[in-house]
Amino acid sequence: MKNILRKIASWFRWMKYLNPFHYLKRIDKYIVAKFIGTYIYSIILIISISIVFDINENLAKFTTNHAPMRAIVFDYYANFIPYFSNLFSPLFVFIAVIFFTSKLAGNSEIIAILASGMSFKRLMRPYMISAAIIAMLNFYLGAMVIPKGTVIRQNFESRYKNSKKITSATNVQLQVGKGVIAYIQQYDDVNRTGYGFSLDKFENKKLVSHMTATTIRYDSISDSRFHWEARNYKIRTLKGLREEITSGMSIDTLIMMEPMDLVFSKGQQETFTSPELLQYISKQQERGSQNVVQYEVEFHKRIAMSFASFILTIIGASLSARKRKGGMGLYLGIGLALSFAYILLQTISSTFAINAGLPAMLAAWIPNILYVFIAYFCYRQAPN
């Protein structure tokens, strides 16, 4: 029986190579645990302070607008925490790396590791593994989870905090299909009703159909999308020199547009998941809309921020691995300065993309491109 069990075990022995922990030595597990633990600790510490300041700033607004406690806790702060944790993740990564690496260097642990024959390049392996874990987590949360919570948080803010949500639009014109142009003179998103509507259909650059309606209302309870009800409508169909006119009080029609295509609110791009962003960008580009830059920037920024974890980890580890007098104060200050500079640079490049025509992908990756050179310089100066 024992021989049979040993034979079966030998068959499955190769599976240990599929276990990622098989490739981690004790020093790797030690550094990964230190990195992740310090990262989580820094998030808890800084976000707790942010919550205290936010409560102090908005308590009067919450009281004045009679915000219920359940909504404050579960709709606002339950989504406030992951949003800002992910937004300032580069800052937390930098602080975590500098904090625990400076402590290791101060205790002469880095010196002992390098003196044992391990190169600094090999020492960076657990740092990169930790950065990969954080990067994948940040990307998944930012691309799939946080946008859904952002919808709830923004709805809370518009109701109990800011009360400035955009609910109307004027003179909206967009392409809703190939050769089909829709125009709405006034649109009210509260009632999902448009006034002064017209729909023109062109074939070979010639007008073949012209529809007008006093009002058009979106059918939000329909099982399928793009259903609109037109009232006091008139349809002119052109067939050569002949013209057919159809009119009536009400007609249900299928128009490839939705209320979200008509009203653009601040921060709307943050409420889409990454697949929804791609779909929305593609749809708006087909319509010839120019109002997609901020959506493209948001899509590329989510990817770029994930890669920032690797770059900032290299910079932080390279700066703080050398033992010097004065402790970690200097490195922590440099780390904070570089982190805030990264976030500021990201904001500036995004603004240039939206207002000055800078390509969205380039705007999202400019901070990473510049910081790659900083990371390379710091790595070359690191102890060996």
Side-chain angles (χ1 to χ4, degrees):
M1 186 65 180
K2 289 183 179 180
N3 293 333
I4 295 174
L5 292 175
R6 286 175 183 173
K7 192 171 184 179
I8 294 174
S10 64
W11 291 344
F12 293 96
R13 191 172 299 166
W14 61 271
M15 294 184 66
K16 67 180 181 180
Y17 297 104
L18 299 178
N19 183 9
F21 294 101
H22 174 76
Y23 302 96
L24 296 180
K25 306 300 181 182
R26 182 175 297 178
I27 185 63
D28 298 324
K29 296 177 182 178
Y30 176 72
I31 293 177
V32 169
K34 285 281 187 179
F35 193 154
I36 301 297
T38 309
Y39 174 77
I40 295 173
Y41 174 78
S42 64
I43 289 177
I44 294 173
L45 181 64
I46 297 177
I47 292 298
S48 298
I49 297 173
S50 301
I51 291 174
V52 171
F53 279 101
D54 190 79
I55 291 174
N56 184 60
E57 181 181 353
N58 296 309
L59 185 59
K61 294 180 181 179
F62 294 159
T63 305
T64 303
N65 295 319
H66 307 288
M69 181 61 68
R70 180 181 178 84
I72 294 174
V73 174
F74 294 102
D75 292 349
Y76 184 64
Y77 284 110
N79 296 300
F80 173 96
I81 293 172
Y83 174 79
F84 284 99
S85 298
N86 199 65
L87 180 65
F88 295 110
S89 181
L91 173 64
F92 300 138
V93 168
F94 224 151
I95 291 175
V97 171
I98 289 178
F99 186 83
F100 87 86
T101 306
S102 296
K103 198 168 183 180
L104 293 179
N107 295 334
S108 300
E109 294 181 65
I110 299 293
I111 296 174
I113 292 171
L114 297 179
S116 67
M118 180 181 291
S119 65
F120 187 76
K121 181 179 178 181
R122 170 62 181 85
L123 179 63
M124 289 299 297
R125 182 195 293 178
Y127 284 89
M128 291 296 99
I129 292 173
S130 303
I133 295 172
I134 294 173
M136 289 187 292
L137 180 63
N138 287 339
F139 178 75
Y140 176 74
L141 291 176
M144 304 302 297
V145 179
I146 292 177
K148 298 177 182 178
T150 302
V151 176
I152 301 173
R153 180 176 59 83
Q154 288 186 358
N155 289 337
F156 175 91
E157 289 178 345
S158 64
R159 183 174 182 182
Y160 299 111
K161 186 179 175 182
N162 298 327
S163 301
K164 294 181 180 179
K165 186 176 181 180
I166 298 174
T167 58
S168 63
T170 57
N171 297 323
V172 180
Q173 183 173 349
L174 69 159
Q175 182 174 318
V176 297
K178 187 176 181 180
V180 182
I181 308 297
Y183 172 79
I184 300 177
Q185 185 177 10
Q186 180 94 22
Y187 177 74
D188 182 7
D189 195 47
V190 176
N191 300 319
R192 302 207 165 182
T193 302
Y195 305 91
F197 174 77
S198 68
L199 186 71
D200 296 325
K201 184 177 180 180
F202 296 86
E203 290 182 2
N204 297 323
K205 298 182 180 181
K206 293 183 179 180
L207 181 66
V208 296
S209 175
H210 175 70
M211 174 184 177
T212 59
T214 305
T215 62
I216 184 170
R217 186 170 185 175
Y218 185 69
D219 188 358
S220 56
I221 62 174
S222 175
D223 294 333
S224 57
R225 300 160 59 190
F226 311 120
H227 279 271
W228 295 83
E229 180 189 8
R231 292 184 174 273
N232 296 324
Y233 70 93
K234 180 184 289 186
I235 302 175
R236 297 171 57 197
T237 304
L238 305 175
K239 297 181 179 179
L241 298 177
R242 298 178 59 188
E243 180 182 62
E244 294 181 2
I245 299 177
T246 306
S247 61
M249 292 297 297
S250 176
I251 186 174
D252 290 331
T253 182
L254 191 67
I255 305 173
M256 301 300 288
M257 65 179 184
E258 296 178 280
M260 61 182 293
D261 300 326
L262 305 175
V263 177
F264 300 95
S265 58
K266 183 180 179 181
Q268 183 177 350
Q269 68 274 12
E270 297 175 350
T271 63
F272 294 128
T273 63
S274 289
E276 290 172 345
L277 270 177
L278 274 179
Q279 183 180 8
Y280 182 82
I281 292 168
S282 176
K283 182 173 67 174
Q284 293 300 101
Q285 287 176 339
E286 288 177 359
R287 292 173 172 174
S289 175
Q290 301 298 320
N291 193 27
V292 295
V293 179
Q294 60 266 42
Y295 297 88
E296 292 177 320
V297 170
E298 177 67 22
F299 176 78
H300 293 295
K301 186 172 71 173
R302 293 175 182 178
I303 303 173
M305 284 191 67
S306 300
F307 279 92
S309 298
F310 297 98
I311 299 171
L312 297 177
T313 296
I314 294 173
I315 297 174
S318 301
L319 283 175
S320 54
R322 192 183 300 274
K323 183 176 181 180
R324 291 188 177 95
K325 292 182 179 180
M328 71 180 73
L330 176 63
Y331 306 113
L332 192 59
I334 296 174
L336 288 172
L338 287 172
S339 299
F340 283 118
Y342 178 87
I343 296 170
L344 178 63
L345 185 61
Q346 192 175 64
T347 304
I348 293 173
S349 61
S350 300
T351 303
F352 270 99
I354 295 171
N355 299 323
L358 187 68
M361 180 180 291
L362 179 61
W365 283 91
I366 279 177
N368 283 0
I369 294 171
L370 295 179
Y371 270 65
V372 161
F373 293 102
I374 298 175
Y376 178 76
F377 174 78
C378 293
Y379 180 77
R380 295 292 295 177
Q381 301 298 318
N384 293 303

